[in-house]
Amino acid sequence: MNRARRPLIAGNWKMNLGGPEAIELAEALVKASKPCANVDVVICPPFTALAAVASEVDGTHVGLGAQNLHPKTSGAFTGEVSAPMLLAAGCQWVIVGHSERRQFFGDTDAFVAEKTQAAIAAKLAPIVCIGELEREREAGHTLQVLERQVNAVLAILAANPEAPMAIAYEPVWAIGTGKAATAADAEEAHAFVRKLLASASETLAARVRVLYGGSVTGANARELLACPNVDGALVGGASLTVEKFEPIFGAAHALTLS
Ligand code: PGA
C-alpha cells in the first residue's frame, strides 16, 4: 500500500443478493465501515438491486458500482444497461471486463475498451479487470497477457489521467478457488501494470488504484494489501456477508494507520 493513494475495497456481488437481502447487507455495511474513514468501500450489487441499494448508501461513505455496462447510451440492445442509466440509478463506479464476462459472454479487449470509454465519458469510474488464465501463467505468459489487456485501454485512461478509475488484477485461476496469488506474485504483476501506466502518463500511474482480486479473505487481506503497488481489493465471495467483508476493509484501514 502506498499512502499517496487511498485504498479502495470493492465488493463484487456477482449474481447474488438481488432483492431485499441486498438492502439489508448494504445497511449493515454502512454501519460496519463507518470507523474505516481512510478507505473507499464500494459495493456492486446486481442491476435489480442498484436503485434500492443507492437509497440505502446515499449520503454515506459507501460507494455504489454496477458489474457491467453496454457502451452505447441507448437503443435497441435488449437486456443491456447503459452508463447514463447506471448514473441515474445512483452508481459512481462500474466493473468492466471481469474475467467471467470475458470467458462466458464474449467480452473482447476491444469491447472492454469501448465500455471503458463509455464509462469515463459518462463520468462513471471504471474498474477495469485484467488477469491471466492458469494455462497462460503455466506457459510463462502472464506479463504478456497483462500487457495486451492494459494496452487495450491505456490510451483511454491516459486521456483522462485525473478521472477516478481503477484496474483490478485478478488472476483467473485465483477467482472463486480459495487459491489467492501470493503477495510476491501479486506485487510483481501490480508493479508491472504500474510501469505500463507510467509509460503512457506519470500522472496516471501515480493516481490509478490497482486492486488485487481472487480469493481475497480476512485471512490474507493484510499481507496482500501491504504490498507497495496493491492499492485495494476486488472481492467476490467474501463480500457477501458483513462478517467476511468487514475484516478486509478493516485490514486496509489498519494499514493506513500503521
Ligand atoms: P472471489 O472473486 O473473491 O470470489 O475470488 C473475485 C472476483 O471475481 O472479482
Side-chain angles (χ1 to χ4, degrees), residues 12 14 98 100 170 174-176 214-216 234-237:
N12 172 13
K14 308 193 180 183
H98 189 278
E100 285 149 19
E170 300 202 299
I175 295 178
S215 296
V216 176
L234 181 57
V235 185

Side-chain angles (χ1 to χ4, degrees), residues 18-257:
E21 56 305 358
I23 303 169
E24 273 170 43
L25 179 56
E27 190 186 2
L29 286 171
V30 166
K31 282 202 193 97
S33 60
K34 216 169 201 154
C36 301
N38 298 342
V39 179
D40 286 337
V41 177
V42 172
I43 51 180
C44 305
F47 290 137
T48 52
L50 285 175
V53 170
S55 37
E56 203 56 54
V57 302
D58 188 32
T60 75
H61 49 280
V62 173
L64 183 67
Q67 300 173 16
N68 185 33
L69 80 165
H70 191 276
K72 295 280 191 290
T73 52
S74 63
F77 299 98
T78 302
E80 294 294 320
V81 176
S82 70
M85 293 173 184
L86 297 179
L87 265 190
C91 293
Q92 304 88 41
W93 292 89
V94 62
I95 299 172
V96 180
H98 189 278
S99 69
E100 285 149 19
R101 302 238 32 111
R102 293 180 189 256
Q103 276 184 292
F104 307 135
F105 303 101
D107 280 21
T108 59
D109 286 337
F111 201 36
V112 170
E114 278 185 58
K115 291 180 177 191
T116 303
Q117 175 76 65
I120 293 176
K123 303 221 179 313
L124 269 180
I127 300 176
V128 182
C129 300
I130 59 170
E132 80 285 1
L133 303 170
E134 185 152 42
R135 65 178 141 78
E136 292 168 331
R137 172 161 285 262
E138 278 166 3
H141 295 155
T142 298
L143 301 186
Q144 237 169 289
V145 171
L146 299 184
E147 184 163 14
R148 192 198 76 226
Q149 292 174 331
V150 170
N151 280 344
V153 294
L154 192 53
I156 298 164
L157 304 186
N160 304 274
E162 308 278 347
M165 51 200 168
I167 289 183
Y169 168 60
E170 300 202 299
V172 179
W173 47 269
I175 295 178
T177 59
K179 200 173 82 179
T182 62
D185 284 345
E187 175 58 21
E188 186 196 12
H190 283 230
F192 180 70
V193 169
R194 186 91 53 206
K195 204 174 74 185
L196 293 173
L197 296 172
S199 73
S201 157
E202 290 289 347
T203 313
L204 183 72
R207 288 181 57 99
V208 169
R209 286 173 285 184
V210 185
L211 316 180
Y212 170 78
S215 296
V216 176
T217 65
N220 60 22
R222 190 182 169 92
E223 196 188 351
L224 288 161
L225 293 169
C227 298
N229 281 292
V230 176
D231 308 314
L234 181 57
V235 185
S239 71
L240 295 177
T241 65
V242 71
E243 292 76 18
K244 287 187 179 161
F245 200 34
E246 194 278 334
I248 300 173
F249 54 75
H253 182 69
L255 279 166
T256 66
L257 304 175

